[in-house]
Amino acid sequence: PLPADEEPARLVRPQGDGLLLMSGRVRRVEITPAAAELLRSLQGEHGPLVFHQSGGCCDGSAPMCYPAKEFRIGQRDVLLGEVEGTPFFIGALQFEYWQHTHLTVDCVPGRGAGFSVEGPRGLRFLIRSRLFTDEEYARQQAEPPLHRGPLEGETALFRSL
């Protein structure tokens, strides 16, 4: 990792009176090369995007990917991190179940149930998961709590990524 003053600007987020540097934390979400390629293509077509993992009734293991300007982050949604410059949020209740889990965004052929932007391409995002190691879990205990709710200046931030 780069020193904090050399991190790319897209990784720095407003956090109250200070900044939250996402790359200094234990990574809670990553992306496979195939899913990253799909996401970059979708960013070119739709502009800035946002992932949201709700754990709802339809495709509970499938993260939904929406244009950032068309999706409102809830006050209790948890920012897990970002992949390819795209913020990844999870619903508060789902986070309670998955807080000990590392998530990897992948893509597979098929259509999911929902309005995620990759659907018309005949592909769908899905989550692969594993439990955090003892070392990762111990490091998390020393980290500040994850950001909850919309980011300050959310629309402007996502449009500038």
PDB file of all heavy atoms in Angstrom, residues 136-149:
ATOM      1  N   GLU A 136      -7.186 -11.231  10.624  1.00  0.00           N
ATOM      2  CA  GLU A 136      -8.038 -10.169  10.070  1.00  0.00           C
ATOM      3  C   GLU A 136      -9.055  -9.703  11.108  1.00  0.00           C
ATOM      4  O   GLU A 136      -9.291  -8.504  11.266  1.00  0.00           O
ATOM      5  CB  GLU A 136      -8.770 -10.672   8.816  1.00  0.00           C
ATOM      6  CG  GLU A 136      -7.870 -10.864   7.617  1.00  0.00           C
ATOM      7  CD  GLU A 136      -8.572 -11.593   6.486  1.00  0.00           C
ATOM      8  OE1 GLU A 136      -9.378 -12.511   6.754  1.00  0.00           O
ATOM      9  OE2 GLU A 136      -8.301 -11.246   5.322  1.00  0.00           O
ATOM     10  N   TYR A 137      -9.647 -10.663  11.816  1.00  0.00           N
ATOM     11  CA  TYR A 137     -10.642 -10.300  12.821  1.00  0.00           C
ATOM     12  C   TYR A 137     -10.017  -9.458  13.936  1.00  0.00           C
ATOM     13  O   TYR A 137     -10.587  -8.448  14.359  1.00  0.00           O
ATOM     14  CB  TYR A 137     -11.301 -11.556  13.398  1.00  0.00           C
ATOM     15  CG  TYR A 137     -12.364 -11.241  14.404  1.00  0.00           C
ATOM     16  CD1 TYR A 137     -13.608 -10.781  13.990  1.00  0.00           C
ATOM     17  CD2 TYR A 137     -12.127 -11.370  15.765  1.00  0.00           C
ATOM     18  CE1 TYR A 137     -14.590 -10.470  14.912  1.00  0.00           C
ATOM     19  CE2 TYR A 137     -13.110 -11.061  16.688  1.00  0.00           C
ATOM     20  CZ  TYR A 137     -14.332 -10.605  16.258  1.00  0.00           C
ATOM     21  OH  TYR A 137     -15.299 -10.284  17.162  1.00  0.00           O
ATOM     22  N   ALA A 138      -8.831  -9.840  14.393  1.00  0.00           N
ATOM     23  CA  ALA A 138      -8.147  -9.076  15.439  1.00  0.00           C
ATOM     24  C   ALA A 138      -7.833  -7.658  14.963  1.00  0.00           C
ATOM     25  O   ALA A 138      -8.003  -6.688  15.707  1.00  0.00           O
ATOM     26  CB  ALA A 138      -6.873  -9.793  15.871  1.00  0.00           C
ATOM     27  N   ARG A 139      -7.387  -7.519  13.720  1.00  0.00           N
ATOM     28  CA  ARG A 139      -7.103  -6.185  13.172  1.00  0.00           C
ATOM     29  C   ARG A 139      -8.365  -5.335  13.104  1.00  0.00           C
ATOM     30  O   ARG A 139      -8.337  -4.140  13.384  1.00  0.00           O
ATOM     31  CB  ARG A 139      -6.476  -6.295  11.779  1.00  0.00           C
ATOM     32  CG  ARG A 139      -5.017  -6.690  11.812  1.00  0.00           C
ATOM     33  CD  ARG A 139      -4.396  -6.749  10.427  1.00  0.00           C
ATOM     34  NE  ARG A 139      -4.661  -5.572   9.636  1.00  0.00           N
ATOM     35  CZ  ARG A 139      -4.783  -5.590   8.304  1.00  0.00           C
ATOM     36  NH1 ARG A 139      -4.662  -6.709   7.632  1.00  0.00           N
ATOM     37  NH2 ARG A 139      -5.018  -4.477   7.642  1.00  0.00           N
ATOM     38  N   GLN A 140      -9.490  -5.950  12.747  1.00  0.00           N
ATOM     39  CA  GLN A 140     -10.755  -5.204  12.661  1.00  0.00           C
ATOM     40  C   GLN A 140     -11.160  -4.627  14.006  1.00  0.00           C
ATOM     41  O   GLN A 140     -11.753  -3.554  14.065  1.00  0.00           O
ATOM     42  CB  GLN A 140     -11.874  -6.103  12.155  1.00  0.00           C
ATOM     43  CG  GLN A 140     -11.803  -6.410  10.699  1.00  0.00           C
ATOM     44  CD  GLN A 140     -12.891  -7.365  10.289  1.00  0.00           C
ATOM     45  OE1 GLN A 140     -13.819  -7.645  11.031  1.00  0.00           O
ATOM     46  NE2 GLN A 140     -12.776  -7.895   9.088  1.00  0.00           N
ATOM     47  N   GLN A 141     -10.864  -5.333  15.082  1.00  0.00           N
ATOM     48  CA  GLN A 141     -11.256  -4.867  16.403  1.00  0.00           C
ATOM     49  C   GLN A 141     -10.571  -3.546  16.763  1.00  0.00           C
ATOM     50  O   GLN A 141     -11.095  -2.777  17.560  1.00  0.00           O
ATOM     51  CB  GLN A 141     -10.948  -5.928  17.464  1.00  0.00           C
ATOM     52  CG  GLN A 141     -11.663  -7.244  17.231  1.00  0.00           C
ATOM     53  CD  GLN A 141     -13.140  -7.081  16.927  1.00  0.00           C
ATOM     54  OE1 GLN A 141     -13.890  -6.575  17.747  1.00  0.00           O
ATOM     55  NE2 GLN A 141     -13.559  -7.494  15.746  1.00  0.00           N
ATOM     56  N   ALA A 142      -9.407  -3.281  16.160  1.00  0.00           N
ATOM     57  CA  ALA A 142      -8.674  -2.045  16.437  1.00  0.00           C
ATOM     58  C   ALA A 142      -9.075  -0.908  15.490  1.00  0.00           C
ATOM     59  O   ALA A 142      -8.648   0.230  15.681  1.00  0.00           O
ATOM     60  CB  ALA A 142      -7.167  -2.310  16.317  1.00  0.00           C
ATOM     61  N   GLU A 143      -9.869  -1.205  14.477  1.00  0.00           N
ATOM     62  CA  GLU A 143     -10.261  -0.195  13.497  1.00  0.00           C
ATOM     63  C   GLU A 143     -11.483   0.586  13.973  1.00  0.00           C
ATOM     64  O   GLU A 143     -12.294   0.070  14.735  1.00  0.00           O
ATOM     65  CB  GLU A 143     -10.591  -0.865  12.155  1.00  0.00           C
ATOM     66  CG  GLU A 143      -9.413  -1.543  11.515  1.00  0.00           C
ATOM     67  CD  GLU A 143      -9.780  -2.323  10.265  1.00  0.00           C
ATOM     68  OE1 GLU A 143     -10.986  -2.518   9.988  1.00  0.00           O
ATOM     69  OE2 GLU A 143      -8.865  -2.731   9.565  1.00  0.00           O
ATOM     70  N   PRO A 144     -11.612   1.823  13.484  1.00  0.00           N
ATOM     71  CA  PRO A 144     -12.830   2.571  13.806  1.00  0.00           C
ATOM     72  C   PRO A 144     -14.036   1.890  13.164  1.00  0.00           C
ATOM     73  O   PRO A 144     -13.882   1.122  12.215  1.00  0.00           O
ATOM     74  CB  PRO A 144     -12.589   3.955  13.198  1.00  0.00           C
ATOM     75  CG  PRO A 144     -11.473   3.794  12.242  1.00  0.00           C
ATOM     76  CD  PRO A 144     -10.697   2.572  12.640  1.00  0.00           C
ATOM     77  N   PRO A 145     -15.241   2.160  13.676  1.00  0.00           N
ATOM     78  CA  PRO A 145     -16.440   1.554  13.081  1.00  0.00           C
ATOM     79  C   PRO A 145     -16.568   1.938  11.606  1.00  0.00           C
ATOM     80  O   PRO A 145     -16.096   2.997  11.186  1.00  0.00           O
ATOM     81  CB  PRO A 145     -17.594   2.160  13.886  1.00  0.00           C
ATOM     82  CG  PRO A 145     -16.977   2.756  15.096  1.00  0.00           C
ATOM     83  CD  PRO A 145     -15.543   3.048  14.779  1.00  0.00           C
ATOM     84  N   LEU A 146     -17.216   1.066  10.852  1.00  0.00           N
ATOM     85  CA  LEU A 146     -17.464   1.350   9.441  1.00  0.00           C
ATOM     86  C   LEU A 146     -18.463   2.493   9.312  1.00  0.00           C
ATOM     87  O   LEU A 146     -19.331   2.676  10.161  1.00  0.00           O
ATOM     88  CB  LEU A 146     -18.006   0.112   8.742  1.00  0.00           C
ATOM     89  CG  LEU A 146     -17.022  -1.048   8.627  1.00  0.00           C
ATOM     90  CD1 LEU A 146     -17.739  -2.299   8.150  1.00  0.00           C
ATOM     91  CD2 LEU A 146     -15.890  -0.698   7.690  1.00  0.00           C
ATOM     92  N   HIS A 147     -18.337   3.248   8.219  1.00  0.00           N
ATOM     93  CA  HIS A 147     -19.248   4.357   7.943  1.00  0.00           C
ATOM     94  C   HIS A 147     -20.642   3.808   7.677  1.00  0.00           C
ATOM     95  O   HIS A 147     -20.802   2.823   6.963  1.00  0.00           O
ATOM     96  CB  HIS A 147     -18.741   5.144   6.730  1.00  0.00           C
ATOM     97  CG  HIS A 147     -19.632   6.277   6.364  1.00  0.00           C
ATOM     98  ND1 HIS A 147     -19.544   7.509   6.957  1.00  0.00           N
ATOM     99  CD2 HIS A 147     -20.650   6.364   5.476  1.00  0.00           C
ATOM    100  CE1 HIS A 147     -20.455   8.304   6.454  1.00  0.00           C
ATOM    101  NE2 HIS A 147     -21.141   7.634   5.549  1.00  0.00           N
ATOM    102  N   ARG A 148     -21.656   4.460   8.243  1.00  0.00           N
ATOM    103  CA  ARG A 148     -23.051   4.094   8.002  1.00  0.00           C
ATOM    104  C   ARG A 148     -23.782   5.273   7.377  1.00  0.00           C
ATOM    105  O   ARG A 148     -23.565   6.409   7.753  1.00  0.00           O
ATOM    106  CB  ARG A 148     -23.749   3.683   9.294  1.00  0.00           C
ATOM    107  CG  ARG A 148     -23.268   2.347   9.818  1.00  0.00           C
ATOM    108  CD  ARG A 148     -23.998   1.942  11.085  1.00  0.00           C
ATOM    109  NE  ARG A 148     -23.466   0.706  11.586  1.00  0.00           N
ATOM    110  CZ  ARG A 148     -24.095  -0.476  11.493  1.00  0.00           C
ATOM    111  NH1 ARG A 148     -25.270  -0.553  10.924  1.00  0.00           N
ATOM    112  NH2 ARG A 148     -23.546  -1.563  11.969  1.00  0.00           N
ATOM    113  N   GLY A 149     -24.654   4.978   6.435  1.00  0.00           N
ATOM    114  CA  GLY A 149     -25.471   6.004   5.804  1.00  0.00           C
ATOM    115  C   GLY A 149     -24.775   6.643   4.624  1.00  0.00           C
ATOM    116  O   GLY A 149     -23.653   6.303   4.267  1.00  0.00           O
TER     117      GLY A 149
END
